[in-house]
Amino acid sequence: MGSIISATPYALPPLQDLIIPTPETYTQILTVWQYFAGFTIIQWLTSWFPMGKTSLKSSAFNIPGRLGWSVMELVAPLNLLYQMATLPVKMHLDVPLPNKLVASLYLLHYTNRAIISPLFAAPSMSPIHALIVLCAALFNWFNSTCLAAWLVGYHVPVAGYRTDGYDPNPSTRPSISPYLPYIGMALFAAGMAGNILAERTLFRLRREEADKQEKKKESSTEPNKYAKVYVIPPATGLFRSILYPHYVWEWVEWIGFVLVGTAVYPSSTSSTIATGEMGLAPWLVPAAGLAEWLRVPLPLPAVVFVVNVVASMVPQARWGKVWYLGRFGKEKVAGRGAVVPFSSWL
């Protein structure tokens, strides 16, 4: 945690450098961001998560579900586009095609997540507490800022490791290294397809259940018949062994994103390289060592993103399983895990 000292309030960068970060500001932001996973312990300690199934019925701080979801998720693609449009001009950089391809994968995911899914695919969305919207928006701002700076060519040397992908002897490079971006593309496509299929299955089941309930009622005063109608998916297909396959497939998607990111090399312009070295959070050290062994660039912001996403979503899935057990009973859960097949806890 010593390396995080540079990001204390006494060393905060000017506001304009937060909006359009310099390499040094990027280092500060990334240094803070890499420790986010450690703070997700809070999510394990409380089931309070006022959105979706567990949203509060009435609160002065509620935001309509579709609006709140779109706003907090649109921060990610809009900020990435803004940074990638302004940083190259500021630093006189040309963004290579592989970098643009990686950015397009991120934008493709958020087109579904921020627009298609909440506004067109979901039958309804429960109100979201303003605090959740704010936290998610901050998550997306940190993440997209770090990814954008990396994709335009910024580089932070990592203490103790060679992470720029420079290979003085290509003939001894591990044979799998050149194929990592292609493997990553396949994983990204499979992960996104699985995530969308699982999510749309849940939406379909909710619609079917709402239609059944409506037929049993003589009249309904509910403006949206799908509101607060939840089902537990049957133990078939993607839901055979886990309750949250859409989470797991999203993780596969972002692991693929990391592998595609090994095609992103730092800019050759010295002004894009941060002065000094960055110390890594302990859980990121294996990734740095692996990148050095493979002699590929370390896609550090992408790795941090995967770690942070998994760290924040696992406790959500755990509490979600608890909710399913309370709502539908042990028999309906049928021994399925939340995200680990057949696990009684996760």
Side-chain angles (χ1 to χ4, degrees):
M1 290 288 286
S3 60
I4 205 170
I5 297 299
S6 61
T8 61
Y10 302 104
L12 287 177
L15 179 60
Q16 64 267 26
D17 287 350
L18 287 172
I19 298 173
I20 308 176
T22 63
E24 286 68 33
T25 304
Y26 164 57
T27 304
Q28 290 179 299
I29 295 172
L30 186 58
T31 298
V32 172
W33 185 227
Q34 69 171 339
Y35 286 104
F36 170 84
F39 293 98
T40 59
I41 186 66
I42 297 171
Q43 293 179 264
W44 289 97
L45 301 176
T46 175
S47 61
W48 188 83
F49 195 74
M51 69 172 286
K53 295 188 292 290
T54 53
S55 66
L56 302 175
K57 291 184 179 180
S58 61
S59 171
F61 299 100
N62 276 354
I63 296 175
R66 296 185 195 275
L67 174 62
W69 185 277
S70 289
V71 167
M72 70 189 192
E73 297 296 349
L74 277 172
V75 171
L78 293 179
N79 187 51
L80 186 89
L81 287 170
Y82 173 74
Q83 298 292 350
M84 292 195 69
T86 54
L87 287 175
V89 175
K90 177 181 179 181
M91 305 301 292
H92 308 289
L93 298 170
D94 290 322
V95 181
L97 181 59
N99 303 37
K100 294 177 181 178
L101 173 61
V102 176
S104 69
L105 296 179
Y106 186 80
L107 296 174
L108 179 63
H109 171 88
Y110 277 96
T111 298
N112 174 69
R113 186 170 177 83
I115 300 174
I116 297 174
S117 184
L119 301 183
F120 300 100
S124 69
M125 296 195 78
S126 296
I128 305 175
H129 196 279
L131 180 61
I132 300 297
V133 173
L134 176 61
C135 289
L138 285 172
F139 181 103
N140 286 325
W141 178 84
F142 268 95
N143 189 54
S144 57
T145 296
C146 291
L147 289 174
W150 161 60
L151 289 171
V152 302
Y154 283 16
H155 179 58
V156 182
V158 174
Y161 295 93
R162 182 92 198 210
T163 57
D164 59 3
Y166 173 72
D167 190 358
N169 189 2
S171 63
T172 60
R173 189 184 188 197
S175 57
I176 194 175
S177 300
Y179 300 102
L180 291 178
Y182 302 102
I183 296 171
M185 286 290 293
L187 286 176
F188 184 90
M192 187 169 185
N195 173 260
I196 292 175
L197 177 60
E199 187 181 66
R200 300 300 190 268
T201 298
L202 286 172
F203 292 163
R204 175 179 58 81
L205 291 172
R206 286 183 58 200
R207 285 190 173 92
E208 292 174 353
E209 179 62 24
D211 290 339
K212 290 179 183 178
Q213 292 183 13
E214 188 180 44
K215 289 180 180 179
K216 296 178 181 178
K217 298 176 182 178
E218 295 183 1
S219 62
S220 176
T221 58
E222 181 63 55
N224 184 343
K225 66 179 180 180
Y226 305 113
K228 286 296 183 181
V229 174
Y230 296 109
V231 298
I232 184 167
T236 59
L238 296 177
F239 295 89
R240 181 176 300 277
S241 59
I242 56 177
L243 294 165
Y244 288 85
H246 44 311
Y247 284 18
V248 175
W249 281 110
E250 183 174 342
W251 302 340
V252 171
E253 185 181 356
W254 293 127
I255 290 171
F257 183 77
V258 168
L259 295 181
V260 178
T262 60
V264 175
Y265 282 77
S267 171
S268 58
T269 303
S270 60
S271 61
T272 62
I273 301 175
T275 57
E277 294 183 325
M278 175 179 166
L280 290 180
W283 47 85
L284 300 176
V285 169
L290 184 59
E292 185 177 61
W293 178 73
L294 292 168
R295 297 189 189 124
V296 296
L298 172 65
L300 184 55
V303 174
V304 172
F305 179 25
V306 171
V307 171
N308 289 349
V309 162
V310 174
S312 61
M313 291 174 73
V314 168
Q316 288 181 35
R318 165 59 186 162
W319 284 115
K321 180 179 178 178
V322 171
W323 184 90
Y324 273 125
L325 285 167
R327 178 72 174 265
F328 298 103
K330 189 174 181 179
E331 290 185 2
K332 291 288 186 178
V333 173
R336 286 175 283 178
V339 291
V340 177
F342 309 112
S343 170
S344 61
W345 192 61
L346 285 179

